[in-house]
Amino acid sequence: MAVVAAFYLAALFADFIAPNDYRAQSRREIMSPPVAIRLRDGEGRWHARPFVYRRRLADPLRRIYEEDTTRAYPLALFARGHRYRLLGLFETDVHLFGVRAEDAAGIAEAPRVYLLGTDALGRDRFARLLVAARFTLLVGPLGTILASLVGIVVGVFAGYAGRAVEAILMRAADVMMSLPTLIVILAARAAFPLELPPGRAARLLIGIFVAVGWAETARLARGLVLTLKTREYVLAAESLGLSKARILFRHILPNAARPLVVQATLLLPAFLLAETSLSFLGVGVQEPEPSWGNMLAAASDINLLAAQPLLLLAPAVAIFLFVFAVRLVGDGLKARGGKNISS
């Protein structure tokens, strides 16, 4: 849960954490390596405050950069930089860290701090990695929540309805589960224009995820309802004359909540990987807006991958860590649910 919370906080405060604008280009630092943050200068003297040097492109063919050690630029917390809207509400230019403003005064272009280097257009990879988390961590979880809600409603209705309605709903769920999910998502996405604004692309993907992801939750909810409505406390509630709606919301759904939450944690990684795959293939989020998928598309260049493997695969590492954390949360809920049942 701490790892998942850290990802969402990083996405929420991405503009504050990143020292540079994710859209800004630096033509003099294309495909540059990460900037070296130093405590000791070229003369061997130690500094109490970390600092960086300005860089210049010494060899354009091999992309070799040299540092200008004539002047050090100290880093500072809560430094000033490009302007943005914090949480989309408050306009500010304060960032978590960066070059001190007074040290950059009078200089045409202060050195920028690139923790993960720059891409082929000279944009900050670290800033784009943080901003890209917003789209992925919004579309995947929101699609999971809505698909789970639709599945729960369909499953509960099938569990309480007659055999004919149950048979129709469950056969529809079987048909959806038999289809290859990623192929269906790609086919549905192909029916819409290729270039969509991020907002419309997010709504489209969420709708597709809901359409293809409700079936497994519906079958689970239906099975839980069929099992729980034969328990003694449900029969006792029925004998007291309680309505079906009250029995459902008071006695059945609370006892079915934990398995349904575990099912949602299993569904979330699939949606995250589907969104990443769409962006990687170029039918998700479009440039210049970043997403983990279109950032990974740069890793298809074998030459760049051989030169900077860890930098290009940073989005893959982020995807792995988030999915791994979500699965650990699901395993923990499953284990706690098993202990409660055994007790």
Side-chain angles (χ1 to χ4, degrees), residues 16 25 42 46 52 63 90 118 158 163 167 187 197 208 217 223 228-229 246 252 256 269 288 335-336 343:
F16 169 70
Q25 300 180 15
W46 291 90
V52 297
R63 297 294 176 188
F90 312 104
T118 61
R163 290 182 175 272
I208 294 174
T217 304
L228 293 174
K229 74 178 185 178
R246 183 176 176 83
I252 293 181
R336 296 183 68 180
S343 60

PDB file of all heavy atoms in Angstrom, residues 16 25 42 46 52 63 90 118 158 163 167 187 197 208 217 223 228-229 246 252 256 269 288 335-336 343:
ATOM      1  N   PHE A  16       5.448  19.558  -9.401  1.00  0.00           N
ATOM      2  CA  PHE A  16       6.228  20.075  -8.277  1.00  0.00           C
ATOM      3  C   PHE A  16       7.530  19.295  -8.105  1.00  0.00           C
ATOM      4  O   PHE A  16       8.584  19.868  -7.827  1.00  0.00           O
ATOM      5  CB  PHE A  16       5.392  20.012  -6.992  1.00  0.00           C
ATOM      6  CG  PHE A  16       6.165  20.268  -5.734  1.00  0.00           C
ATOM      7  CD1 PHE A  16       6.649  21.538  -5.442  1.00  0.00           C
ATOM      8  CD2 PHE A  16       6.426  19.235  -4.845  1.00  0.00           C
ATOM      9  CE1 PHE A  16       7.378  21.767  -4.284  1.00  0.00           C
ATOM     10  CE2 PHE A  16       7.142  19.462  -3.682  1.00  0.00           C
ATOM     11  CZ  PHE A  16       7.623  20.723  -3.402  1.00  0.00           C
ATOM     12  N   GLN A  25      11.958  21.615 -24.716  1.00  0.00           N
ATOM     13  CA  GLN A  25      13.000  20.935 -25.483  1.00  0.00           C
ATOM     14  C   GLN A  25      14.325  21.693 -25.355  1.00  0.00           C
ATOM     15  O   GLN A  25      14.341  22.925 -25.340  1.00  0.00           O
ATOM     16  CB  GLN A  25      12.610  20.832 -26.953  1.00  0.00           C
ATOM     17  CG  GLN A  25      11.324  20.069 -27.199  1.00  0.00           C
ATOM     18  CD  GLN A  25      10.988  19.986 -28.669  1.00  0.00           C
ATOM     19  OE1 GLN A  25      11.816  20.252 -29.534  1.00  0.00           O
ATOM     20  NE2 GLN A  25       9.750  19.604 -28.974  1.00  0.00           N
ATOM     21  N   GLY A  42      36.318  19.713  -9.590  1.00  0.00           N
ATOM     22  CA  GLY A  42      37.453  19.200 -10.332  1.00  0.00           C
ATOM     23  C   GLY A  42      38.785  19.376  -9.636  1.00  0.00           C
ATOM     24  O   GLY A  42      39.750  18.666  -9.942  1.00  0.00           O
ATOM     25  N   TRP A  46      35.658  19.597  -1.506  1.00  0.00           N
ATOM     26  CA  TRP A  46      34.318  19.140  -1.169  1.00  0.00           C
ATOM     27  C   TRP A  46      33.406  20.330  -0.900  1.00  0.00           C
ATOM     28  O   TRP A  46      33.834  21.338  -0.355  1.00  0.00           O
ATOM     29  CB  TRP A  46      34.360  18.239   0.066  1.00  0.00           C
ATOM     30  CG  TRP A  46      35.025  16.919  -0.186  1.00  0.00           C
ATOM     31  CD1 TRP A  46      36.344  16.621  -0.054  1.00  0.00           C
ATOM     32  CD2 TRP A  46      34.393  15.726  -0.644  1.00  0.00           C
ATOM     33  NE1 TRP A  46      36.592  15.312  -0.396  1.00  0.00           N
ATOM     34  CE2 TRP A  46      35.386  14.730  -0.763  1.00  0.00           C
ATOM     35  CE3 TRP A  46      33.077  15.382  -0.963  1.00  0.00           C
ATOM     36  CZ2 TRP A  46      35.121  13.445  -1.176  1.00  0.00           C
ATOM     37  CZ3 TRP A  46      32.810  14.087  -1.374  1.00  0.00           C
ATOM     38  CH2 TRP A  46      33.812  13.142  -1.483  1.00  0.00           C
ATOM     39  N   VAL A  52      25.903  21.099  -9.817  1.00  0.00           N
ATOM     40  CA  VAL A  52      26.028  20.552 -11.166  1.00  0.00           C
ATOM     41  C   VAL A  52      26.861  21.517 -11.996  1.00  0.00           C
ATOM     42  O   VAL A  52      27.022  22.691 -11.646  1.00  0.00           O
ATOM     43  CB  VAL A  52      24.645  20.333 -11.825  1.00  0.00           C
ATOM     44  CG1 VAL A  52      23.831  19.306 -11.065  1.00  0.00           C
ATOM     45  CG2 VAL A  52      23.892  21.651 -11.937  1.00  0.00           C
ATOM     46  N   ARG A  63      27.388  11.401 -29.434  1.00  0.00           N
ATOM     47  CA  ARG A  63      26.641  11.980 -28.328  1.00  0.00           C
ATOM     48  C   ARG A  63      27.459  11.984 -27.038  1.00  0.00           C
ATOM     49  O   ARG A  63      27.008  11.502 -25.999  1.00  0.00           O
ATOM     50  CB  ARG A  63      25.323  11.222 -28.109  1.00  0.00           C
ATOM     51  CG  ARG A  63      24.373  11.289 -29.274  1.00  0.00           C
ATOM     52  CD  ARG A  63      23.882  12.701 -29.482  1.00  0.00           C
ATOM     53  NE  ARG A  63      23.036  12.829 -30.671  1.00  0.00           N
ATOM     54  CZ  ARG A  63      22.610  13.968 -31.169  1.00  0.00           C
ATOM     55  NH1 ARG A  63      22.960  15.095 -30.582  1.00  0.00           N
ATOM     56  NH2 ARG A  63      21.867  14.022 -32.248  1.00  0.00           N
ATOM     57  N   PHE A  90      -3.584  26.076  -8.112  1.00  0.00           N
ATOM     58  CA  PHE A  90      -2.768  27.202  -7.689  1.00  0.00           C
ATOM     59  C   PHE A  90      -1.579  27.367  -8.628  1.00  0.00           C
ATOM     60  O   PHE A  90      -0.800  26.426  -8.811  1.00  0.00           O
ATOM     61  CB  PHE A  90      -2.276  26.998  -6.249  1.00  0.00           C
ATOM     62  CG  PHE A  90      -3.365  26.576  -5.300  1.00  0.00           C
ATOM     63  CD1 PHE A  90      -3.455  25.260  -4.873  1.00  0.00           C
ATOM     64  CD2 PHE A  90      -4.301  27.482  -4.859  1.00  0.00           C
ATOM     65  CE1 PHE A  90      -4.448  24.860  -4.004  1.00  0.00           C
ATOM     66  CE2 PHE A  90      -5.306  27.108  -3.988  1.00  0.00           C
ATOM     67  CZ  PHE A  90      -5.385  25.789  -3.562  1.00  0.00           C
ATOM     68  N   THR A 118      17.807  13.022 -21.351  1.00  0.00           N
ATOM     69  CA  THR A 118      16.803  13.568 -22.259  1.00  0.00           C
ATOM     70  C   THR A 118      16.509  12.580 -23.375  1.00  0.00           C
ATOM     71  O   THR A 118      17.293  11.662 -23.649  1.00  0.00           O
ATOM     72  CB  THR A 118      17.280  14.890 -22.872  1.00  0.00           C
ATOM     73  OG1 THR A 118      18.490  14.656 -23.617  1.00  0.00           O
ATOM     74  CG2 THR A 118      17.564  15.916 -21.786  1.00  0.00           C
ATOM     75  N   ALA A 158     -28.137 -11.662 -11.438  1.00  0.00           N
ATOM     76  CA  ALA A 158     -28.230 -13.044 -11.911  1.00  0.00           C
ATOM     77  C   ALA A 158     -28.410 -14.019 -10.758  1.00  0.00           C
ATOM     78  O   ALA A 158     -29.116 -15.031 -10.888  1.00  0.00           O
ATOM     79  CB  ALA A 158     -26.970 -13.400 -12.703  1.00  0.00           C
ATOM     80  N   ARG A 163     -34.058 -18.580 -13.275  1.00  0.00           N
ATOM     81  CA  ARG A 163     -33.104 -19.359 -14.065  1.00  0.00           C
ATOM     82  C   ARG A 163     -32.926 -18.814 -15.478  1.00  0.00           C
ATOM     83  O   ARG A 163     -31.826 -18.828 -16.024  1.00  0.00           O
ATOM     84  CB  ARG A 163     -33.563 -20.818 -14.127  1.00  0.00           C
ATOM     85  CG  ARG A 163     -33.452 -21.554 -12.799  1.00  0.00           C
ATOM     86  CD  ARG A 163     -33.873 -23.005 -12.946  1.00  0.00           C
ATOM     87  NE  ARG A 163     -33.662 -23.731 -11.707  1.00  0.00           N
ATOM     88  CZ  ARG A 163     -32.531 -24.345 -11.376  1.00  0.00           C
ATOM     89  NH1 ARG A 163     -31.511 -24.294 -12.227  1.00  0.00           N
ATOM     90  NH2 ARG A 163     -32.412 -24.989 -10.243  1.00  0.00           N
ATOM     91  N   ALA A 167     -29.399 -17.568 -16.814  1.00  0.00           N
ATOM     92  CA  ALA A 167     -28.765 -18.260 -17.941  1.00  0.00           C
ATOM     93  C   ALA A 167     -28.347 -17.274 -19.018  1.00  0.00           C
ATOM     94  O   ALA A 167     -27.238 -17.359 -19.571  1.00  0.00           O
ATOM     95  CB  ALA A 167     -29.725 -19.299 -18.511  1.00  0.00           C
ATOM     96  N   ALA A 187      -9.319  -3.950 -31.381  1.00  0.00           N
ATOM     97  CA  ALA A 187     -10.356  -3.833 -32.402  1.00  0.00           C
ATOM     98  C   ALA A 187     -11.318  -2.700 -32.073  1.00  0.00           C
ATOM     99  O   ALA A 187     -11.719  -1.928 -32.955  1.00  0.00           O
ATOM    100  CB  ALA A 187     -11.109  -5.153 -32.522  1.00  0.00           C
ATOM    101  N   PRO A 197      -7.526  13.782 -28.194  1.00  0.00           N
ATOM    102  CA  PRO A 197      -6.988  14.486 -27.023  1.00  0.00           C
ATOM    103  C   PRO A 197      -6.904  13.526 -25.834  1.00  0.00           C
ATOM    104  O   PRO A 197      -7.640  12.533 -25.772  1.00  0.00           O
ATOM    105  CB  PRO A 197      -8.008  15.604 -26.781  1.00  0.00           C
ATOM    106  CG  PRO A 197      -8.732  15.759 -28.066  1.00  0.00           C
ATOM    107  CD  PRO A 197      -8.751  14.405 -28.706  1.00  0.00           C
ATOM    108  N   ILE A 208     -13.938   1.100 -23.006  1.00  0.00           N
ATOM    109  CA  ILE A 208     -13.575  -0.204 -23.570  1.00  0.00           C
ATOM    110  C   ILE A 208     -13.249  -1.191 -22.455  1.00  0.00           C
ATOM    111  O   ILE A 208     -13.659  -2.365 -22.493  1.00  0.00           O
ATOM    112  CB  ILE A 208     -12.381  -0.047 -24.531  1.00  0.00           C
ATOM    113  CG1 ILE A 208     -12.788   0.780 -25.757  1.00  0.00           C
ATOM    114  CG2 ILE A 208     -11.864  -1.404 -24.970  1.00  0.00           C
ATOM    115  CD1 ILE A 208     -11.640   1.100 -26.687  1.00  0.00           C
ATOM    116  N   THR A 217     -15.899 -10.540 -12.963  1.00  0.00           N
ATOM    117  CA  THR A 217     -16.473 -10.082 -11.696  1.00  0.00           C
ATOM    118  C   THR A 217     -17.930 -10.498 -11.577  1.00  0.00           C
ATOM    119  O   THR A 217     -18.401 -10.843 -10.475  1.00  0.00           O
ATOM    120  CB  THR A 217     -16.345  -8.558 -11.591  1.00  0.00           C
ATOM    121  OG1 THR A 217     -14.974  -8.180 -11.746  1.00  0.00           O
ATOM    122  CG2 THR A 217     -16.832  -8.063 -10.245  1.00  0.00           C
ATOM    123  N   GLY A 223     -21.710 -16.262  -8.088  1.00  0.00           N
ATOM    124  CA  GLY A 223     -21.414 -17.426  -7.262  1.00  0.00           C
ATOM    125  C   GLY A 223     -21.460 -17.113  -5.778  1.00  0.00           C
ATOM    126  O   GLY A 223     -21.951 -17.914  -4.970  1.00  0.00           O
ATOM    127  N   LEU A 228     -23.994 -17.367  -0.439  1.00  0.00           N
ATOM    128  CA  LEU A 228     -24.306 -16.658   0.801  1.00  0.00           C
ATOM    129  C   LEU A 228     -25.803 -16.623   1.101  1.00  0.00           C
ATOM    130  O   LEU A 228     -26.194 -16.535   2.268  1.00  0.00           O
ATOM    131  CB  LEU A 228     -23.762 -15.230   0.732  1.00  0.00           C
ATOM    132  CG  LEU A 228     -22.241 -15.107   0.718  1.00  0.00           C
ATOM    133  CD1 LEU A 228     -21.814 -13.662   0.490  1.00  0.00           C
ATOM    134  CD2 LEU A 228     -21.644 -15.618   2.031  1.00  0.00           C
ATOM    135  N   LYS A 229     -26.645 -16.676   0.072  1.00  0.00           N
ATOM    136  CA  LYS A 229     -28.085 -16.557   0.352  1.00  0.00           C
ATOM    137  C   LYS A 229     -28.668 -17.832   0.957  1.00  0.00           C
ATOM    138  O   LYS A 229     -29.842 -17.831   1.343  1.00  0.00           O
ATOM    139  CB  LYS A 229     -28.838 -16.181  -0.917  1.00  0.00           C
ATOM    140  CG  LYS A 229     -28.998 -17.275  -1.942  1.00  0.00           C
ATOM    141  CD  LYS A 229     -29.802 -16.750  -3.125  1.00  0.00           C
ATOM    142  CE  LYS A 229     -30.094 -17.842  -4.144  1.00  0.00           C
ATOM    143  NZ  LYS A 229     -30.917 -17.333  -5.275  1.00  0.00           N
ATOM    144  N   ARG A 246     -32.704  -5.133   1.506  1.00  0.00           N
ATOM    145  CA  ARG A 246     -32.051  -4.976   2.801  1.00  0.00           C
ATOM    146  C   ARG A 246     -31.136  -6.156   3.104  1.00  0.00           C
ATOM    147  O   ARG A 246     -30.023  -5.984   3.612  1.00  0.00           O
ATOM    148  CB  ARG A 246     -33.107  -4.827   3.898  1.00  0.00           C
ATOM    149  CG  ARG A 246     -32.503  -4.582   5.279  1.00  0.00           C
ATOM    150  CD  ARG A 246     -33.598  -4.342   6.299  1.00  0.00           C
ATOM    151  NE  ARG A 246     -33.038  -4.196   7.640  1.00  0.00           N
ATOM    152  CZ  ARG A 246     -32.545  -3.070   8.124  1.00  0.00           C
ATOM    153  NH1 ARG A 246     -32.556  -1.968   7.364  1.00  0.00           N
ATOM    154  NH2 ARG A 246     -32.065  -3.005   9.347  1.00  0.00           N
ATOM    155  N   ILE A 252     -25.415  -9.798   2.585  1.00  0.00           N
ATOM    156  CA  ILE A 252     -24.714 -10.548   1.536  1.00  0.00           C
ATOM    157  C   ILE A 252     -23.504  -9.786   1.009  1.00  0.00           C
ATOM    158  O   ILE A 252     -22.381 -10.303   1.023  1.00  0.00           O
ATOM    159  CB  ILE A 252     -25.693 -10.897   0.396  1.00  0.00           C
ATOM    160  CG1 ILE A 252     -26.744 -11.886   0.900  1.00  0.00           C
ATOM    161  CG2 ILE A 252     -24.940 -11.495  -0.795  1.00  0.00           C
ATOM    162  CD1 ILE A 252     -27.742 -12.303  -0.157  1.00  0.00           C
ATOM    163  N   ALA A 256     -19.377 -10.560   0.927  1.00  0.00           N
ATOM    164  CA  ALA A 256     -18.770 -10.851  -0.375  1.00  0.00           C
ATOM    165  C   ALA A 256     -17.752  -9.795  -0.790  1.00  0.00           C
ATOM    166  O   ALA A 256     -17.119  -9.925  -1.837  1.00  0.00           O
ATOM    167  CB  ALA A 256     -19.858 -10.950  -1.443  1.00  0.00           C
ATOM    168  N   PRO A 269      -3.968  -4.996 -12.945  1.00  0.00           N
ATOM    169  CA  PRO A 269      -2.744  -5.120 -13.757  1.00  0.00           C
ATOM    170  C   PRO A 269      -3.023  -5.384 -15.233  1.00  0.00           C
ATOM    171  O   PRO A 269      -2.290  -4.888 -16.099  1.00  0.00           O
ATOM    172  CB  PRO A 269      -2.011  -6.299 -13.103  1.00  0.00           C
ATOM    173  CG  PRO A 269      -2.528  -6.332 -11.699  1.00  0.00           C
ATOM    174  CD  PRO A 269      -3.960  -5.916 -11.797  1.00  0.00           C
ATOM    175  N   PRO A 288       2.515  15.123 -28.232  1.00  0.00           N
ATOM    176  CA  PRO A 288       3.631  15.205 -27.290  1.00  0.00           C
ATOM    177  C   PRO A 288       3.285  14.837 -25.857  1.00  0.00           C
ATOM    178  O   PRO A 288       4.133  14.946 -24.992  1.00  0.00           O
ATOM    179  CB  PRO A 288       4.045  16.678 -27.378  1.00  0.00           C
ATOM    180  CG  PRO A 288       2.762  17.393 -27.622  1.00  0.00           C
ATOM    181  CD  PRO A 288       1.956  16.465 -28.507  1.00  0.00           C
ATOM    182  N   ALA A 335      -5.108 -13.602   1.778  1.00  0.00           N
ATOM    183  CA  ALA A 335      -4.659 -14.343   2.953  1.00  0.00           C
ATOM    184  C   ALA A 335      -5.476 -13.986   4.185  1.00  0.00           C
ATOM    185  O   ALA A 335      -5.863 -14.852   4.976  1.00  0.00           O
ATOM    186  CB  ALA A 335      -3.181 -14.044   3.203  1.00  0.00           C
ATOM    187  N   ARG A 336      -5.782 -12.710   4.368  1.00  0.00           N
ATOM    188  CA  ARG A 336      -6.586 -12.292   5.514  1.00  0.00           C
ATOM    189  C   ARG A 336      -8.002 -12.840   5.401  1.00  0.00           C
ATOM    190  O   ARG A 336      -8.608 -13.210   6.405  1.00  0.00           O
ATOM    191  CB  ARG A 336      -6.605 -10.789   5.627  1.00  0.00           C
ATOM    192  CG  ARG A 336      -5.243 -10.171   5.916  1.00  0.00           C
ATOM    193  CD  ARG A 336      -5.307  -8.686   6.084  1.00  0.00           C
ATOM    194  NE  ARG A 336      -6.034  -8.336   7.296  1.00  0.00           N
ATOM    195  CZ  ARG A 336      -6.236  -7.087   7.685  1.00  0.00           C
ATOM    196  NH1 ARG A 336      -5.782  -6.090   6.952  1.00  0.00           N
ATOM    197  NH2 ARG A 336      -6.908  -6.833   8.795  1.00  0.00           N
ATOM    198  N   SER A 343     -11.303 -19.099  10.786  1.00  0.00           N
ATOM    199  CA  SER A 343     -11.650 -18.833  12.180  1.00  0.00           C
ATOM    200  C   SER A 343     -13.170 -18.957  12.400  1.00  0.00           C
ATOM    201  O   SER A 343     -13.605 -19.157  13.513  1.00  0.00           O
ATOM    202  CB  SER A 343     -11.183 -17.435  12.583  1.00  0.00           C
ATOM    203  OG  SER A 343     -11.802 -16.456  11.763  1.00  0.00           O
TER     204      SER A 343
END
